[in-house]
Amino acid sequence: MHIVVCVKQVPDSGQIRVHPVTNTIMRQGVPTIINPYDLFSLEEALRLRDKHGGEVTVVTMGPPMADQALRKCLTFGADRAVLLTDRFFAGSDTLATSYALGQLIEKVSATWGAPDIIFCGKQTIDGDTAQVGPGIAKRLNLLQLTYVQKIEDFDFDKKEITVHRRAEGGIQVLKTKLPCLVTMLEGTNEMRRGTMADALRAARAGIITWSAADAGITNLALCGLKGSPTIVKKVFAPPARAEKAFQIEVADKSYEDICDALLGEVYKRQPALEQDMVKMAPGY
Amino acid sequence: MVEKPKAPAAGNSRANTKKELPEHLKAYKHIWVMLELERGVVHPVSWELMGEGRKLADKLKVDLCGVVLGAPGTTDGAVADCFGYGGDVCYVVEHPSLSDYRNEPYTKVMTELVNKYQPETLLLGATNLGRDLAGSVATTLLTGLTADCTELDVDAEGSLAATRPTFGGSLLCTIFTLNYRPQMATMRPRVASVPLLTPGRTGRVIRHDVSLPEEDIITKILAFLPDGTTNKSNLAYADIVVSGGLGMQNADNYQLVRDLAGVLGAEWGGSRPLVQKGWIPTDRQIGQTGKTIRPRLYIAAGISGAIQHRVGVEGADLIVAINTDKNAPIFDFAHVGIVADATKVLPALTETFRKRLALAATRSAAE
Ligand SMILES: Cc1cc2nc3c(=O)[nH]c(=O)nc-3n(C[C@H](O)[C@H](O)[C@H](O)COP(=O)(O)OP(=O)(O)OC[C@H]3O[C@@H](n4cnc5c(N)ncnc54)[C@H](O)[C@@H]3O)c2cc1C
């Protein structure tokens, strides 16, 4: 069995600062991490491999330093890692990204065998679009199972997979055929720590690095800014509210008085609320 | 995904920042909203989109059209509401294989509809269904898609200007699809309000027949396991939400939040660290990576007001914040503040509300 997992290196957005004048992201010194949503997919891939045999190939598209993220995946136990990096990919939107990753996976297939299953993260924490997974599936003409909470059944001989997919108001139990693309929901599993042997292997392993040409991508018009139908015209900080909060007087006041004052303020600002609350409240 | 350039306009040499629509795409007209009909109910985000879509259609003087897919005989209510919420036209596709959402048949039908009727703009909810479908449809059509928008507008040239948060909400960006059609976008639930329903309002129904042999569809639905109703959150659509943050100090104190919510008949939630600590379940998280809420009253106890939290609550009519730190960022966007210990204020507030509501209830019973 061959499993491909797509990951992305992202800035740790908890530590992102925005330049107050230019409204640009101040990237200097912001540490990068593997997109946290990708780890649930990687762990699921490793579990399938451990149970059914085969290999896990981790792929990413990004700047040369994205090899750090791939090396980390190797320490978790992935078998092989491929980085697609080229200046032609700069500025890719979701459509251009799905093209490049689709082409990359084609080349991976030609080199190490066609994947039976491809995993992507549900979404990234910097882009947040959740569109690249479905995009890759379409590019490769694969079936897709998104927001998967659990792989209920995996029959490699019959090439069938049954999953629990999160939908509005409940869980869809879906059965489909391999090969397919899966995105896992967060919190579905916990990433393993990786063995000492994996860590040693990862330290020594070479990250396979391909340029666009290496990956057989010749139509550069479909890559990067050129291949992106969407155009970012304006970037700005969320507007601040004009006034600060009205503060309820607290000095030397009992909690009872503070709460009475608060209720007065609430009902003054939302006059209809008091009557409606009586209807909403469970009743005493 | 490689990130977009941060300050694109100036010095950007790309050819397509100007609108140069190829001849064959000029026929694309009107605004479409995909109405998410599942098990007899249309997701409210579809109506929120109809409200936003109506404003865009009026500015552009085009039709607002709903699109509804479902099993035969299940779409009548959705069609009537489509007009009631402001639609001029409703496209209807009924087929047994469309009874529940599945990516394959829905993608096939949506792309077929777009290619035949040529909308200029196609809007979907940023729900699991909408995000699953939008990516497949946009990639099939090779057009631009702006995901998870918080604001939709049109610019002077009539192009869709879709604004979305990026980098976890630290920045907003406005994105265009100038040279491809349709322009696609998904919008987060609850960033817009549901418009008023005008019962009896009518419009034009266009029925479209499709060939969808079930044996050609590989993915099968074996079962649907509905969520238990107990404990399930309805945060996104609640009128009153009480929430807690790390300032509640421990899981036991969090009960004070639930006590107040209980008295008010409100929903309860919290900041992300509370989910990570296991004090509250994932579907109770409020913010950028959790739920966006639009209650009439939001009470935040011991929450600092980080940007990722703020973007999820800004649509509230009235925000009350309780925090010991008078400089906490939450006071920058709350309307009413109390600088005090939330673990002390909450029980007192629960008691005050309890008395007040009981009094109001007896009064209204007497009238
Ligand atoms: C990619 C990403 C996505 C995120 N998504 C979300 C999200 O969706 N939702 C979300 O909420 N966060 C999210 N976060 C986390 C966010 O950045 C903040 O870390 C988080 O909101 C802080 O939670 P908090 O306010 O509970 O805790 P803190 O920031 O630690 O604030 C605690 C507050 O409690 C106050 N306090 C302390 N004791 C008391 C007391 N006794 N009484 C009253 N006040 C007291 C303190 O003054 C302080 O202001 C995200 C972060 C990242 C990086």
Side-chain angles (χ1 to χ4, degrees):
Chain A
M1 183 168 57
H2 187 196
I3 306 176
V4 169
V5 183
C6 303
V7 302
K8 185 184 181 188
Q9 187 180 49
V10 295
D12 186 349
S13 62
Q15 307 202 32
I16 283 184
R17 293 286 170 275
V18 176
H19 191 285
V21 178
T22 59
N23 274 341
T24 50
I25 297 282
M26 304 198 290
R27 251 167 229 278
Q28 230 123 56
V30 175
T32 58
I33 52 174
I34 301 173
N35 174 42
Y37 292 110
D38 298 344
L39 295 177
F40 302 108
S41 283
L42 176 58
E43 173 61 25
E44 208 62 32
L46 295 172
R47 286 182 189 185
L48 283 181
R49 178 206 59 188
D50 293 348
K51 198 154 163 210
H52 302 274
E55 288 185 321
V56 172
T57 304
V58 181
V59 301
T60 196
M61 175 175 92
M65 68 166 206
D67 67 345
Q68 297 162 10
L70 291 178
R71 201 171 293 283
K72 186 93 192 163
C73 295
L74 292 177
T75 67
F76 290 135
D79 299 283
R80 159 186 321 115
V82 185
L83 167 65
L84 178 63
T85 185
D86 211 311
R87 65 195 164 86
F88 299 117
F89 299 124
S92 297
D93 72 357
T94 52
L95 192 73
T97 303
S98 71
Y99 173 72
L101 286 172
Q103 293 291 110
L104 170 62
I105 293 169
E106 296 277 15
K107 177 75 182 189
V108 165
S109 304
T111 315
W112 295 286
D116 302 286
I117 188 165
I118 297 173
F119 281 100
C120 289
K122 178 185 100 166
Q123 65 194 56
T124 59
I125 60 165
D126 56 348
D128 254 337
T129 71
Q131 298 304 332
V132 171
I136 294 172
K138 209 18 99 193
R139 295 283 191 182
L140 298 173
N141 209 7
L142 293 178
L143 301 161
Q144 76 187 42
L145 301 168
T146 55
Y147 309 105
V148 169
Q149 204 161 52
K150 182 171 153 200
I151 297 183
E152 174 78 5
D153 194 40
F154 185 83
D155 190 330
F156 188 60
D157 298 326
K158 285 205 195 135
K159 301 261 183 264
E160 280 175 354
I161 180 170
T162 304
V163 302
H164 284 192
R165 172 177 187 271
R166 166 100 326 249
E168 202 58 45
I171 299 287
Q172 276 185 322
V173 184
L174 294 175
K175 180 174 183 171
T176 200
K177 291 258 184 234
L178 303 180
C180 68
L181 183 139
V182 172
T183 76
M184 296 300 295
L185 214 58
E186 65 276 16
T188 41
N189 56 39
E190 208 170 314
M191 178 45 83
R192 61 194 59 196
R193 311 210 29 204
T195 63
M196 201 55 179
D198 285 329
L200 288 172
R201 194 172 50 86
R204 270 182 272 118
I207 303 291
I208 301 156
T209 304
W210 286 345
S211 65
D214 294 336
I217 301 176
T218 48
N219 193 348
L220 297 175
L222 299 179
C223 300
L225 272 183
K226 272 204 202 119
S228 300
T230 62
I231 297 160
V232 180
K233 276 212 175 174
K234 196 170 119 195
V235 181
F236 54 105
R241 241 169 45 89
E243 317 148 45
K244 286 207 144 210
F246 170 86
Q247 292 291 354
I248 303 279
E249 193 71 50
V250 291
D252 308 323
K253 292 269 192 318
S254 70
Y255 286 109
E256 214 179 336
D257 289 348
I258 294 173
C259 291
D260 277 337
L262 176 63
L263 257 62
E265 203 57 43
V266 166
Y267 293 143
K268 192 177 94 196
R269 287 158 188 261
Q270 291 289 320
L273 205 53
E274 182 158 21
Q275 270 314 305
D276 293 346
M277 273 171 128
V278 175
K279 289 181 216 132
M280 277 185 263
Y284 299 92
Chain B
M1 195 184 70
V2 169
E3 289 122 26
K4 297 272 183 175
K6 290 307 158 298
N12 184 342
S13 62
R14 63 195 306 204
N16 56 354
T17 50
K18 217 170 74 235
K19 190 163 169 176
E20 295 165 26
L21 211 53
E23 212 49 48
H24 72 282
L25 293 179
K26 288 189 178 151
Y28 281 64
K29 223 176 148 184
H30 306 306
I31 293 179
W32 281 20
V33 173
M34 156 88 192
L35 305 176
E36 291 183 20
L37 174 66
E38 286 192 284
R39 284 167 300 285
V41 187
V42 175
H43 194 292
V45 72
S46 303
W47 306 134
E48 292 156 19
L49 279 166
M50 288 296 281
E52 296 307 290
R54 185 69 261 168
K55 294 179 207 160
L56 304 183
D58 289 344
K59 279 190 196 164
L60 298 169
K61 304 199 167 49
V62 298
D63 289 343
L64 173 65
C65 314
V67 182
V68 56
L69 278 49
T74 62
T75 62
D76 293 355
V79 174
D81 285 353
C82 168
F83 299 132
Y85 284 117
D88 302 304
V89 177
C90 191
Y91 291 89
V92 181
V93 184
E94 292 193 338
H95 191 284
S97 295
L98 297 172
S99 70
D100 285 282
Y101 175 73
R102 277 178 297 171
N103 182 268
E104 292 167 79
Y106 271 62
T107 303
K108 179 165 187 285
V109 171
M110 280 309 285
T111 42
E112 194 174 305
L113 286 173
V114 167
N115 285 329
K116 173 148 188 207
Y117 299 100
Q118 311 197 323
E120 183 169 35
T121 299
L122 171 56
L123 306 173
L124 302 94
T127 57
N128 285 7
L129 189 166
R131 287 170 162 220
D132 186 89
L133 180 61
S136 302
V137 171
T139 314
T140 309
L141 298 168
L142 298 176
T143 191
L145 163 63
T146 307
D148 224 21
C149 297
T150 51
E151 208 185 315
L152 299 169
D153 202 355
V154 286
D155 73 356
E157 289 177 47
S159 303
L160 181 71
T163 299
R164 69 185 304 272
T166 185
F167 288 104
S170 340
L171 284 177
L172 296 169
C173 53
T174 305
I175 300 181
F176 290 78
T177 298
L178 295 181
N179 307 319
Y180 301 81
R181 290 294 179 268
Q183 316 166 87
M184 288 181 61
T186 61
M187 187 178 80
R188 284 207 117 187
R190 299 306 276 152
V191 293
S193 49
V194 174
L196 280 180
L197 181 73
T198 312
R201 193 177 171 280
T202 58
R204 196 152 60 95
V205 177
I206 298 177
R207 292 188 176 270
H208 178 85
D209 286 325
V210 286
S211 152
L212 275 180
E214 180 60 39
E215 58 273 20
D216 291 353
I217 303 170
I218 298 167
T219 305
K220 303 294 177 198
I221 301 173
L222 303 186
F224 185 82
L225 316 171
D227 293 328
T229 41
T230 48
N231 256 337
K232 198 188 159 261
S233 96
N234 181 33
L235 270 178
Y237 291 92
D239 275 322
I240 305 178
V241 174
V242 187
S243 85
L246 281 180
M248 295 309 297
Q249 294 153 5
N250 57 52
D252 287 347
N253 283 344
Y254 184 82
Q255 184 59 35
L256 302 173
V257 171
R258 293 191 62 169
D259 290 347
L260 176 56
V263 163
L264 297 177
E267 286 286 345
W268 46 276
S271 61
R272 186 165 86 158
L274 270 54
V275 173
Q276 289 164 334
K277 285 183 176 290
W279 298 359
I280 60 173
T282 314
D283 67 341
R284 298 278 173 182
Q285 181 187 320
I286 297 167
Q288 168 78 15
T289 46
K291 295 281 191 326
T292 300
I293 60 172
R294 268 183 103 75
R296 293 162 67 188
L297 174 61
Y298 178 57
I299 302 174
I303 292 182
S304 60
I307 185 72
Q308 293 89 358
H309 189 81
R310 175 177 171 172
V311 294
V313 304
E314 264 177 327
D317 292 334
L318 182 61
I319 301 175
V320 173
I322 308 164
N323 197 303
T324 40
D325 175 7
K326 69 177 193 321
N327 296 317
I330 194 151
F331 292 128
D332 294 343
F333 59 93
H335 303 90
V336 180
I338 299 180
V339 179
D341 184 343
T343 62
K344 301 275 170 32
V345 175
L346 281 180
L349 197 53
T350 304
E351 223 20 68
T352 312
F353 267 122
R354 188 198 305 274
K355 280 190 210 139
R356 185 78 161 246
L357 286 170
L359 195 68
T362 39
R363 221 186 284 138
S364 64
E367 272 163 21

